[in-house]
Amino acid sequence: MRPPRLPRLPRARGACPVVASYGGKDRSLRGAAAKLDHALDRLGVEHDVREYPDAGHSFLADAPNGPAPLRPLMKIMGAGPEPASARDAWDRIEAFFDRHLRP
């Protein structure tokens, strides 16, 4: 998820709590975690945003994904599972949902 652009921030005021996890090696979303964290801070939206330095795009996946012929390229790009980061991210997601979605 790309962070909202500054002109769109007022529309996000009053948004529900947000949990987000980004891979630090994901070049397509470089700096997105910090931007989203800053935007949500400015809006006063409760959030838990973290960037995992050892993870790339799709790091939460259990197994390599995408078309089989492209998987070697995805691996070179750093995309795909990163179990240690994924374990921490899923723990954060589950705790966040427990806190905000339990009756």
Side-chain angles (χ1 to χ4, degrees), residues 47-103:
H47 61 283
D48 176 359
V49 177
R50 186 165 307 163
E51 181 177 280
Y52 292 91
D54 295 331
H57 193 81
S58 300
F59 76 94
L60 286 168
D62 291 336
N65 53 18
L70 295 180
R71 288 184 189 160
L73 178 61
M74 292 173 68
K75 187 173 184 176
I76 291 169
M77 293 173 47
E82 205 293 295
S85 299
R87 192 171 21 264
D88 183 72
W90 281 119
D91 287 347
R92 286 180 34 254
I93 292 165
E94 289 174 3
F96 195 86
F97 284 1
D98 279 348
R99 190 167 57 255
H100 295 286
L101 298 178
R102 283 226 190 262

